[in-house]
Amino acid sequence: MPTPARSRRSAGLLLACALAAAMPAWAGQVEVLHWWTSGGEAKSVAELKRLLAAEGHGWRDFVVAGGGGEGAMSVLRSRVLAGNPPAAAQLKGPAIQEWGRLDVLANLDDVARRQQWDSQLPRVVAEAMKVNGRYVAVPVNVHRINWLWINREALRKVGARAPATWDEFFAVADKMRKAGIVPVAHGGQPWQEFTTFETVALGVGGPDFYRKALVQLDAKALRSETMGQVLETFRRIKGYTDAAAAGREWNAATAMVIRGEAGMQFMGDWAKGEFLAAQKQPNRDFLCVSAPGTARSFIFNIDSFAMFRLKDSAAAQAQQALAATIMSKEFQQVFNLNKGSVPVGTGVDMGKFDLCAQESSAYFVASSMVNALVPSVAHKMALPEKTEAALKDVVAAFWNNDQTSVPEAMDALVKAAQVK
Ligand code: GAL
């Protein structure tokens, strides 16, 4: 007969063995910083975890919630400064170069050669992923910003068609308001305000104006008559949002459109991920249309993961596997089907994608051919972090304070453009 102490010990041993058997023995594990927490986003991340697990590697979530990634960037900074970076972090555009200059990123050239990234990726995308000619980051998708999402039933109720011009847009918005529907679902956060603002800038001013004003930060363009019209139009949209918008998350705003409480939302196509996660179908339940005046142009937002140099060799191997998985055709398809975006590489079968994605994919190529493809400022694709933050502050302050005049806002934009 075992003594009680012995039997407790062997029971403990059995439990430990059972747990060990239940837990997969990962070859390596990657810790990944991201801000994908909404319904559609979480489904997309789950696919990445699944594919990585199939390669024998584990994934540790390092989530800093908050759409647009504002919170995530400051948390990342403190982790890297403390000498303890995650394996991968959602980083985009110029930030990849900024981190690259600090010499803390890993070299992905071996995987890139094996999978021929140079020939698979559009040149602008490939260049954005390299620092000093070496791959340090891997792109996940292409999001289009300048969409207007519309609840189909709300549109039918007011007997209107999807608006193509700003006049039509405001006419539809008036009708929705009369019918007791919130015309524009908005989340009152600076990045969401800037998402709408840059969409209006493109719709009112066109791609050349957008580039001059928001990418080159040309003072003349920032103080021009066109910018005046952009600001007026932007302010007018605010009149069609509800009083409870302050602080609302973007996906809560999308949920209002999904439920039909609100009619429309300006948002990038991660919003589609929310409609799909709620079992809604494009054209049947909701419409994706180019925001007024932007049908032939495209504000792009490319999600990517930068990889940090690691000391642990098993984790470093898992990191290389993560990069390879992200660029695999299987991942690019299944992830983007959930996320609302389109694959970034060539050769992915678009047959399974819905109309919104097929349009986005075609517009991406077409707008690039006619020089109407512009980077998103709101989503960190165009400017140094500090300049972008200063511009966002100005736009949010203008949106939130009706007393600020248009010329005052233009002056403030010129000033913010000088922040480096
Ligand atoms: C963007 C990001 C998208 C989406 C969105 C809202 O900055 O590029 O993938 O997640 O934020 O969270």
Side-chain angles (χ1 to χ4, degrees), residues 301-376:
N301 169 26
I302 294 173
D303 284 311
S304 46
F305 284 102
M307 305 289 173
F308 283 82
R309 201 182 299 126
L310 302 173
K311 290 183 198 117
D312 180 306
S313 70
Q317 266 179 31
Q319 182 184 53
Q320 300 281 321
L322 175 66
T325 303
I326 289 176
M327 277 296 286
S328 70
K329 294 200 187 348
E330 184 185 1
F331 167 79
Q332 288 280 334
Q333 188 182 60
V334 71
F335 177 88
N336 286 305
L337 279 169
N338 286 297
K339 186 72 166 68
S341 38
V342 296
V344 67
T346 49
V348 178
D349 177 12
M350 290 300 289
K352 280 198 178 154
F353 284 81
D354 60 34
L355 281 175
C356 310
Q358 297 204 1
E359 257 180 53
S360 182
S361 182
Y363 287 162
F364 185 61
V365 177
S367 62
S368 143
M369 276 157 47
V370 297
N371 205 21
L373 182 64
V374 294
S376 167

Side-chain angles (χ1 to χ4, degrees), residues 41-340:
E41 290 174 336
K43 270 182 99 175
S44 318
V45 171
E47 293 296 344
L48 184 50
K49 289 183 197 171
R50 180 180 65 79
L51 289 175
L52 191 68
E55 299 275 310
H57 296 292
W59 166 295
R60 183 141 44 96
D61 251 335
F62 177 10
V63 174
V64 182
E70 307 304 321
M73 290 304 102
S74 48
V75 176
L76 176 65
R77 206 165 299 119
S78 50
R79 277 284 301 269
V80 178
L81 289 179
N84 180 24
Q90 210 183 329
L91 269 190
K92 314 200 272 183
I96 296 173
Q97 306 302 316
E98 288 172 31
W99 282 103
R101 279 196 288 276
L102 298 179
D103 197 25
V104 287
L105 300 182
N107 186 342
L108 304 176
D109 277 353
D110 280 349
V111 193
R113 247 191 314 274
R114 228 180 320 124
Q115 290 182 320
Q116 300 175 326
W117 293 6
D118 272 343
S119 56
Q120 279 207 46
L121 295 172
R123 183 189 275 267
V124 273
V125 180
E127 291 313 312
M129 302 300 133
K130 291 179 187 174
V131 173
N132 296 331
R134 293 205 187 98
Y135 277 103
V136 294
V138 52
V140 171
N141 60 3
V142 181
H143 272 302
R144 187 183 194 217
I145 302 293
N146 49 306
W147 288 111
L148 182 65
W149 303 94
I150 309 178
N151 178 301
R152 180 112 205 236
E153 179 58 20
L155 202 61
R156 201 197 50 76
K157 244 190 213 156
V158 300
R161 277 208 316 228
T165 64
W166 289 106
D167 284 347
E168 286 174 14
F169 169 80
F170 288 115
V172 173
D174 278 331
K175 287 188 183 157
M176 286 183 172
R177 185 152 58 195
K178 274 202 201 101
I181 301 164
V182 175
V184 178
H186 177 67
Q189 297 174 342
W191 74 268
Q192 296 191 60
E193 269 124 38
F194 213 97
T195 300
T196 302
F197 175 73
E198 66 185 23
T199 297
V200 175
L202 182 70
V204 170
D208 289 341
F209 168 78
Y210 181 103
R211 234 176 259 123
K212 262 220 164 85
L214 298 183
V215 182
Q216 291 152 17
L217 303 176
D218 177 275
K220 259 218 220 113
L222 289 172
R223 270 209 194 88
S224 61
E225 212 185 301
T226 309
M227 183 53 90
Q229 284 165 20
V230 170
L231 287 163
E232 299 285 5
T233 309
F234 177 61
R235 175 164 273 166
R236 201 167 154 206
I237 293 172
K238 186 182 171 199
Y240 293 92
T241 61
D242 65 329
R248 178 186 288 140
E249 294 293 338
W250 68 271
N251 53 322
T254 308
M256 290 169 68
V257 182
I258 292 175
R259 291 193 299 265
E261 236 167 89
M264 306 182 272
Q265 184 186 18
F266 292 99
M267 191 47 66
D269 38 22
W270 47 92
K272 194 186 73 186
E274 297 304 294
F275 283 99
L276 300 182
Q279 315 301 326
K280 302 292 178 192
Q281 277 181 28
N283 273 0
R284 188 191 73 185
D285 306 307
F286 68 95
L287 302 178
C288 50
V289 298
S290 300
T294 71
R296 287 191 176 73
S297 37
F298 194 118
I299 305 179
F300 68 90
N301 169 26
I302 294 173
D303 284 311
S304 46
F305 284 102
M307 305 289 173
F308 283 82
R309 201 182 299 126
L310 302 173
K311 290 183 198 117
D312 180 306
S313 70
Q317 266 179 31
Q319 182 184 53
Q320 300 281 321
L322 175 66
T325 303
I326 289 176
M327 277 296 286
S328 70
K329 294 200 187 348
E330 184 185 1
F331 167 79
Q332 288 280 334
Q333 188 182 60
V334 71
F335 177 88
N336 286 305
L337 279 169
N338 286 297
K339 186 72 166 68

